[in-house]
């Protein structure tokens, strides 16, 4: 009896990257802010590349607080959505190649989102990671941390609660 050969790792990576790209590029505001996501396995790191349009106070200069909050919220929502999509891809219930911005599962909806501004966001690239504390059928809790030059020196953090979209099956 012959066994089916496993897929090459590069093919699997391309499929996962395509799914992440469809998820991120399906939201125009993410594209407007320029937020990108880097994937290592199932872990995502968000990148907010510096742009002059993100400055709120040109006298300092400092990143606008609304941009920081949006960056954290986007990181939480994409991180939460990615965890769901990852689970479905790994179980075989979702074909990542079939994902387009139009066919993606619906995104979680924000119930509340609390941001702690810990220091001034400097005029440079920012990074963030989300940690899903709880994710059930109806509700999820996510914590996000953002930094710039030093991962140990956060400039903002947030906690959000989200209403989960209905899932098929």
């Amino acid at each position: 009896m012959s066994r089916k050969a496993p897929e090459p790792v590069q093919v699997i990576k391309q499929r996962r990257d395509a799914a992440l790209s469809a998820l991120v590029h399906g939201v125009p505001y993410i594209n407007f802010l320029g937020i990108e996501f880097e994937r290592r396995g199932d872990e995502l790191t968000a990148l907010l590349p510096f742009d002059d349009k993100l400055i709120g106070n040109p006298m300092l200069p400092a990143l606008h607080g609304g941009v920081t909050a949006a960056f954290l919220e986007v990181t939480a929502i994409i991180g939460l959505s990615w965890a769901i999509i990852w689970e479905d891809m790994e179980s075989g219930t979702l074909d990542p190649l079939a994902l387009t911005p139009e066919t993606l599962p619906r995104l979680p909806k924000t119930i509340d989102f609390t941001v702690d501004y810990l220091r001034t966001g400097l005029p440079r690239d920012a990074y963030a990671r989300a940690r899903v504390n709880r994710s059930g059928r109806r509700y999820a809790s996510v914590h996000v941390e953002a930094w710039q030059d030093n991962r140990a020196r956060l400039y903002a953090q947030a906690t959000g609660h989200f209403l989960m979209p209905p899932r098929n099956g």
Side-chain angles (χ1 to χ4, degrees):
M1 193 174 356
S2 69
R3 239 189 220 165
K4 184 179 172 188
E7 286 186 294
V9 172
Q10 204 52 38
V11 171
I12 295 168
K13 282 183 179 180
Q14 286 172 345
R15 272 205 315 264
R16 289 175 179 165
D17 289 343
L20 179 59
S21 179
L23 179 63
V24 171
H25 294 104
V27 182
Y29 192 56
I30 294 174
N31 298 324
F32 172 76
L33 290 176
I35 299 171
E36 303 163 12
F37 286 84
E38 182 179 281
R39 185 184 66 78
R40 294 284 177 257
D42 67 340
E43 183 179 71
L44 296 180
T45 301
L47 165 65
L48 176 66
F50 175 73
D51 188 319
D52 283 331
K53 73 181 179 190
L54 305 178
I55 293 294
N57 184 344
M59 299 303 286
L60 292 177
L63 290 178
H64 191 284
V67 169
T68 296
F71 177 49
L72 292 167
E73 188 173 9
V74 162
T75 301
I77 290 171
I78 295 298
L80 185 55
S81 297
W82 182 247
I84 295 164
I85 288 172
W86 180 270
E87 207 175 275
D88 291 347
M89 282 190 307
E90 292 300 294
S91 70
T93 60
L94 180 70
D95 177 9
L97 291 179
L99 288 180
T100 66
E102 296 78 32
T103 62
L104 278 168
R106 290 190 9 226
L107 295 174
K109 301 251 185 277
T110 305
I111 296 170
D112 65 56
F113 200 75
T114 304
V115 178
D116 298 323
Y117 298 95
L118 306 173
R119 59 183 36 84
T120 301
L122 301 171
R124 56 184 68 141
D125 292 353
Y127 307 89
R129 282 204 186 129
R131 181 184 71 242
V132 177
N133 293 328
R134 179 194 188 287
S135 180
R137 282 186 319 109
R138 300 180 66 203
Y139 162 91
S141 173
V142 181
H143 181 76
V144 188
E145 296 180 338
W147 69 96
Q148 290 185 302
D149 296 328
N150 181 341
R151 175 81 169 91
R153 267 180 65 87
L154 303 180
Y155 82 96
Q157 64 183 4
T159 301
H161 301 101
F162 299 89
L163 183 63
M164 299 302 288
R167 297 200 44 199
N168 300 333

